[in-house]
Amino acid sequence: QRWHELIPLSFVTLTVLVDLVLVVLFVHWAACFWGFMGILFTGLHTENSVWSTWLLRAISDKHLNCAWSDIPHYSVYWMSCYWAMCTVTSVGYGDIAASNLTE
């Protein structure tokens, strides 16, 4: 109970801050997992296969004229964070979606 005396915040403010930190952590973990799935399964993709991933669809939707391996990992992470935040908040825009059964 000593830390309550050191931090002069109301119970409601403290609860909102803790919830916000938990949501940010969950979004980070979900984004890391979603990005890992995209990179892993996109690496299994060949030119002749019909296998598609969310990362390949995102690249083609944004009309990027580059190979998936040329996209920096931080860009994949931010696309994954966008997906995770839309999923967690139940907004679900649908522009980044699962493309195969595993995803």
Side-chain angles (χ1 to χ4, degrees):
Q1 193 171 17
R2 283 188 234 145
W3 63 273
H4 286 288
E5 296 168 2
L6 294 174
I7 303 173
L9 296 174
S10 69
F11 176 75
V12 173
T13 305
L14 194 58
T15 303
V16 168
L17 286 175
V18 168
D19 290 345
L20 183 65
V21 167
L22 290 175
V23 167
V24 168
L25 279 174
F26 181 76
V27 165
H28 168 72
W29 291 332
C32 286
F33 180 72
W34 187 249
F36 172 74
M37 294 288 285
I39 289 171
L40 176 70
F41 290 113
T42 302
L44 299 175
H45 176 76
T46 62
E47 295 298 323
N48 302 355
S49 72
V50 293
W51 184 267
S52 181
T53 66
W54 73 266
L55 186 54
L56 291 173
R57 285 183 48 197
I59 292 169
S60 66
D61 289 348
K62 296 187 182 344
H63 305 292
L64 300 174
N65 295 325
C66 62
W68 71 269
S69 57
D70 295 337
I71 294 184
H73 288 288
Y74 66 85
S75 293
V76 174
Y77 175 74
W78 286 118
M79 284 190 287
S80 300
C81 280
Y82 170 76
W83 170 84
M85 186 57 83
C86 290
T87 301
V88 167
T89 58
S90 300
V91 174
Y93 294 122
D95 52 349
I96 298 178
S99 297
N100 58 52
L101 188 59
T102 308
E103 294 176 347

